[in-house]
Amino acid sequence: LCRALGHLREAAAMLADRLGRLALSRRACLTAATALAGAGLTMASDSLTRALPARTAAAPGLANPLLSASYFPRFADVRPEHVLEAMEARLAEASSKLDALETYVLHSLEKHRTPDYDHLAAELEAISEAYGGPWSVVSHLKGVKDSPALREAHAAVQPKVVAFETRLSQSGPVYRGWKAIREDKEVWTPLSPSRKRVAELEILSAEMRGVALSGADKARFGDIQAELASLSTTFSNNLLDSTKAFSRRLTTPAEVAGLPRSALELMAGSARKAGDEGATAEAGPWLVTLDAPCFIPVLRHADDAGLREAVYRAYVTRASAKSTDPPERGAAASDNEPVINRILALRAERARLLGFPSHAHVSLAEKMATLDGAKALLEDLRAKCYDKAVAEHAQLARFAGKADPQDLAHWDVGYYAEKLKQERYAFDDEEVRPYLPLDAVFAGLWRTVERLFGVTAVEVQPDAVGAQIWDPEVRLFELRRGGDGGEAVAYCFVDPFARPGEKRGGAWMAEVRSRSRFCSQPGQKVRLPAAHMVCNQGPPVTHADGSVTPSLMTIGEVRTLFHECGHALQHMLTQVDEGAVSGIRGVEWDAVEQPSQWLEYWMEQPATLQGMARHHATGEPIPAELVRKIRAAKNYRAASNMLRQLKFGLTDLALHEQPPPASGAPGAAATVWETDVAVSLRTSVIPPLPEDRFLCGFAHIFAGGYAAGYYSYKYAEVLSADGFAAFEEAGLDNEAEVRRLGRRYAETVLGMGGSHPAAHVFKLFRGREPSADALLRHNDLLGASGALPAAAV
């Protein structure tokens, strides 16, 4: 009977897929599913409403999982061989839809009729879904389950995707259609603010992507877009390969002296995976890697300065000709410096085609800040924290027994900083870690979300809602209004653990599905949003005797989880039904970090820490005294940490505002390293190593969305700090006010997404323009000389 039911489930999923691809009505899908249910197959009613398919085996043709019409992507079924077939089919479909839309717009304009807003917006969303849906799945899997075959498939399709995206963004008829809507007052005036925002953003986007270009310039723009996409992928591949190429097998206790048990367990687990089946935390051997859960503890705790130096040098030379441990294909073949030079040259050329003096000007044209305002903010913060950072470093050098602060080596800074923190505050991260098992942190995170926003997160089994996961450790949460039995409003996948060799480093949030009225099914008002949050913390450790220690988190890792959840909540709690501006879509890039940084403040609150921190072995709550120490150490070396972020932001702007290196143009640097060093002289208390190639690993600006935009972290921090200050002013222990303001934050910053300019949304929440006072106060810089320029905020 079980086997028969299993066959029925598989048949139901295959039928749902086939019906979806044949574009039959939703009613027919529901009728078919209901008929199968009558034969003994039970499915949740909410799953039927969304038509979420059960897990099915991969098969060619119509069974290609990337062509599935299901709400949840079929992550587990996707294979590299599916990519080309699916993307060619979907790109052809999208191209056909665009042809039809352009014909409709031109015909309307020829008849002196304004195109219909709903038709234009709905068809553009349909075009985006047609190719963007499967492509986002491929791109996601490349980030979390990379393999040579998937890289090859991705590389084969990427130029086709970029070519179509360029055609779409430069569509003259579509651009003219939006402009006609804006210019027709009878049509424009009654449109809602969110619909006007869609039109305004579509017009600006087209102009910034070369819609006005023609002939050779238009062709060249397309070539640049294609090459930049390829270079971004190359940058990421080089960085991942270089990161996983490094490892050190340690065999003696002296080599690992000072390392906490959590790090030893992780390193022994890595050794077992590499072939040392009997490796233990107590006796070794231990395998050191450059993945953050290993790299960070080594630099902070390893007594062996030689080990710290080897790890530090390997890290700052990744993906460069200076690499200490290059991949098998060699340092030259994985060197990102020529990739960087080419990216900068192409971005500068693209800016000239668009009529801008630099890529920095292009980037800031679509953001809240002006270029001058962004530079003014960073420079003023630099001036306020530099002297304090110098003093922090001098104090650290004295503690380390160095007469000259310049004698404190880069690989010694983290080590002695941790020792000084232990002496000053009588605690370190390792003392806190046993109280922060992942499950307890999840519970505390979702309690905070429920307290502030009235939304409950319930973990669900993927199969129960027709979802698939790409790794056994991935978890799925359903967000509901009205408690556990309430209405589902969103879904969230969480991929918490590092997987060396197949998963890129860092942490990020991205959308799986956007909220959209145009993409809803018959009988539904709107399609629900779904997101995934990806982190890279240490996984559970299975010991040689089979026992398991759960994933125990540092305060920094907890902060990262809260940060990514802030991003996800803006996507998932949106109340905007226009897909083009729902959630994080349409939010200016320098405001997009606001909710993520804002939620970090709640992680630091005593009520949150005491509510979620439970010892993994005993269940005992974290001692109040330890929470007090954590709070007391919150701003430890705050100036030094801020200065480091300012270096990243200022370097990014300098690279993208000045002419490309070695171009011969006035003001051009000889190399990117010349620019890096010049900024470092103003933002670092000790100069970088001569062989430091940090830029070769700066994926945010060379393989992400932060080019000439890394300043956004500090810009958005003004907003997040001021936003949290509203709760401080009302009283963090005033539960009624906390809940009231939390609901208002959900209705404005989270709920309105990109449907209004971010400055307007912030003012609706705060009741005034943003102020930098809270940011300075939270970082103990309020008394620093000078005030932030008004233009900067």
Side-chain angles (χ1 to χ4, degrees):
L1 177 60
C2 290
R3 283 196 297 272
L5 289 174
H7 290 316
L8 281 171
R9 287 189 180 93
E10 187 168 347
M14 294 292 288
L15 177 58
D17 267 358
R18 187 177 297 273
L19 290 173
R21 281 187 294 275
L22 291 174
L24 295 181
S25 71
R26 192 61 178 164
R27 188 179 305 277
C29 293
L30 289 169
T31 301
T34 303
L36 283 169
L41 175 62
T42 58
M43 297 175 67
S45 60
D46 60 340
S47 296
L48 280 173
T49 301
R50 292 188 299 270
L52 311 182
R55 187 184 299 267
T56 60
L62 290 178
N64 186 320
L66 287 171
L67 296 175
S68 172
S70 60
Y71 171 74
F72 287 119
R74 290 167 52 188
F75 293 114
D77 289 339
V78 176
R79 301 291 180 267
E81 56 268 25
H82 294 132
V83 175
L84 182 61
E85 176 194 48
M87 289 309 303
E88 286 185 338
R90 286 301 183 87
L91 285 169
E93 177 186 341
S95 182
S96 178
K97 287 179 179 292
L98 180 55
D99 289 339
L101 181 59
E102 290 178 331
T103 299
Y104 160 76
V105 172
L106 291 175
H107 180 73
S108 297
L109 296 178
E110 287 170 2
K111 298 294 185 181
H112 303 289
R113 291 198 299 263
T114 300
D116 179 68
Y117 173 91
D118 275 1
H119 184 75
L120 190 55
E123 286 305 303
L124 285 175
E125 279 200 47
I127 290 168
S128 177
E129 289 285 325
Y131 81 93
W135 185 239
S136 68
V137 175
V138 174
S139 299
H140 171 67
L141 291 175
K142 189 181 178 306
V144 296
K145 299 293 283 188
D146 193 26
S147 70
L150 185 56
R151 282 189 185 185
E152 184 178 349
H154 182 276
V157 171
Q158 187 178 52
K160 303 175 189 289
V161 174
V162 174
F164 177 75
E165 288 179 335
T166 301
R167 180 201 162 192
L168 176 62
S169 64
Q170 293 183 340
S171 171
V174 171
Y175 174 67
R176 290 175 59 194
W178 285 120
K179 291 192 70 176
I181 290 173
R182 186 174 65 177
E183 292 165 1
D184 186 336
K185 298 306 180 185
E186 292 186 3
V187 172
W188 183 255
T189 301
L191 289 179
S192 66
S194 61
R195 295 187 185 188
K196 289 179 180 177
R197 176 76 169 168
V198 170
E200 295 282 9
L201 290 178
E202 290 286 355
I203 291 169
L204 176 61
S205 177
E207 292 170 350
M208 298 304 297
R209 282 148 191 80
V211 70
L213 298 177
S214 60
D217 286 347
K218 185 171 186 177
R220 179 59 187 150
F221 189 95
D223 291 341
I224 290 173
Q225 294 291 84
E227 188 175 355
L228 281 172
S230 177
L231 289 167
S232 174
T233 300
T234 299
F235 188 99
S236 295
N237 290 343
N238 287 345
L239 183 58
L240 177 61
D241 291 348
S242 187
T243 300
K244 69 182 182 182
F246 174 91
S247 65
R248 289 289 185 275
R249 185 174 181 271
L250 308 179
T251 57
T252 66
E255 292 175 293
V256 296
L259 286 168
R261 180 169 182 86
S262 60
L264 296 176
E265 289 177 343
L266 176 70
M267 292 158 61
S270 297
R272 287 195 294 275
K273 291 178 181 177
D276 287 307
E277 295 182 1
T280 65
E282 296 78 12
W286 305 271
L287 195 68
V288 178
T289 70
L290 294 183
D291 294 290
C294 180
F295 164 76
I296 293 174
V298 168
L299 287 185
R300 288 182 179 175
H301 299 287
D303 292 337
D304 186 343
L307 175 62
R308 297 199 307 271
E309 179 179 358
V311 169
Y312 180 86
R313 288 183 182 276
Y315 190 83
V316 300
T317 59
R318 291 178 303 162
S320 78
K322 303 286 186 179
S323 177
T324 63
D325 293 72
E328 290 183 3
R329 51 195 169 96
S334 57
D335 182 9
N336 270 339
E337 181 176 353
V339 178
I340 291 171
N341 289 334
R342 185 62 177 160
I343 287 174
L344 292 174
L346 289 172
R347 286 174 177 168
E349 182 183 356
R350 181 177 60 184
R352 290 193 297 272
L353 286 172
L354 294 173
F356 288 88
S358 73
H359 177 73
H361 291 84
V362 173
S363 175
L364 273 292
E366 296 182 271
K367 294 181 172 64
M368 291 178 68
T370 64
L371 180 55
D372 287 343
K375 291 192 294 184
L377 173 66
L378 297 185
E379 179 56 34
D380 202 80
L381 288 173
R382 187 202 68 81
K384 283 180 166 58
C385 71
Y386 184 82
D387 289 344
K388 189 171 182 179
V390 169
E392 289 174 350
H393 186 73
Q395 182 184 56
L396 188 64
R398 289 194 300 273
F399 176 78
K402 306 292 184 182
D404 184 349
Q406 297 300 306
D407 291 340
L408 190 64
H410 290 276
W411 47 88
D412 291 336
V413 171
Y415 178 75
Y416 285 108
E418 193 67 24
K419 297 293 186 187
L420 179 58
K421 185 171 76 170
Q422 291 173 21
E423 180 178 286
R424 182 177 295 177
Y425 302 103
F427 98 101
D428 63 18
D429 277 348
E430 292 304 314
E431 186 181 357
V432 181
R433 194 191 284 267
Y435 292 95
L436 295 173
L438 177 62
D439 283 346
V441 172
F442 266 136
L445 169 64
W446 297 127
R447 275 196 303 270
T448 301
V449 170
E450 184 169 15
R451 175 194 182 199
L452 293 171
F453 311 129
V455 175
T456 302
V458 178
E459 185 166 9
V460 295
Q461 292 302 311
D463 284 343
V465 292
Q468 291 187 357
I469 53 178
W470 53 91
D471 186 87
E473 300 290 355
V474 174
R475 302 166 76 163
L476 178 60
F477 295 88
E478 184 178 82
L479 273 62
R480 301 172 181 170
R481 293 193 190 278
D484 287 356
E487 175 190 11
V489 296
Y491 290 88
C492 185
F493 294 89
V494 183
D495 186 351
F497 306 131
R499 289 189 295 277
E502 68 174 18
K503 184 179 180 182
R504 68 180 174 93
W508 64 94
M509 167 269 162
E511 66 175 50
V512 178
R513 293 285 183 257
S514 64
R515 180 182 172 101
S516 171
R517 65 188 179 101
F518 291 130
C519 294
S520 63
Q521 299 294 339
Q524 292 180 318
K525 178 191 173 191
V526 67
R527 181 180 68 180
L528 299 182
H532 48 64
M533 296 158 46
V534 182
C535 299
N536 266 283
Q537 67 195 57
V541 176
T542 301
H543 303 282
D545 64 0
S547 61
V548 178
T549 299
S551 175
L552 303 177
M553 303 175 70
T554 64
I555 285 291
E557 289 171 338
V558 176
R559 180 175 288 106
T560 296
L561 184 62
F562 271 66
H563 179 101
E564 299 308 329
C565 187
H567 283 308
L569 288 169
Q570 187 172 36
H571 178 69
M572 296 188 294
L573 299 187
T574 182
Q575 295 301 300
V576 180
D577 295 341
E578 302 296 317
V581 291
S582 71
I584 58 175
R585 295 182 176 188
V587 178
E588 293 94 327
W589 200 256
D590 41 8
V592 79
E593 295 293 338
Q594 178 192 173
S596 55
Q597 294 170 338
W598 178 85
L599 197 63
E600 290 183 40
Y601 283 105
W602 291 100
M603 181 279 295
E604 301 166 352
Q605 299 311 304
T608 307
L609 285 170
Q610 290 170 334
M612 72 180 173
R614 293 285 187 275
H615 197 283
H616 74 97
T618 67
E620 291 295 314
I622 188 171
E625 177 62 14
L626 186 52
V627 172
R628 186 195 66 77
K629 293 176 182 178
I630 294 171
R631 295 280 296 164
K634 182 175 76 73
N635 282 335
Y636 175 60
R637 292 178 58 79
S640 298
N641 294 332
M642 179 178 285
L643 197 61
R644 179 173 178 269
Q645 288 295 309
L646 293 173
K647 179 200 169 179
F648 296 162
L650 287 166
T651 301
D652 171 36
L653 287 179
L655 287 171
H656 287 104
E657 185 181 14
Q658 66 191 24
S663 65
T671 67
V672 290
W673 313 118
E674 182 178 308
T675 300
D676 184 34
V677 170
V679 175
S680 294
L681 291 175
R682 300 165 44 239
T683 57
S684 301
V685 294
I686 50 176
L689 296 176
E691 66 270 32
D692 187 308
R693 292 297 181 265
F694 130 79
L695 290 176
C696 288
F698 201 178
H700 273 77
I701 69 170
F702 295 118
Y706 285 85
Y710 197 89
Y711 79 90
S712 299
Y713 281 101
K714 284 303 169 191
Y715 195 92
E717 200 171 343
V718 172
L719 306 178
S720 60
D722 197 22
F724 184 73
F727 293 81
E728 294 176 311
E729 293 161 9
L732 293 172
D733 57 350
N734 186 334
E735 191 63 20
E737 278 298 287
V738 166
R739 291 176 182 270
R740 182 185 69 81
L741 286 172
R743 274 35 169 205
R744 186 202 291 180
Y745 196 85
E747 293 166 0
T748 53
V749 176
L750 302 182
M752 298 176 75
S755 65
H756 292 76
H760 173 74
V761 173
F762 182 86
K763 191 172 181 179
L764 285 177
F765 169 71
R766 198 66 169 99
R768 58 165 173 76
E769 303 292 337
S771 165
D773 287 351
L775 171 63
L776 298 174
R777 174 168 53 83
H778 292 155
N779 287 275
D780 287 339
L781 295 172
L782 194 57
S785 61
L788 289 179
V793 294

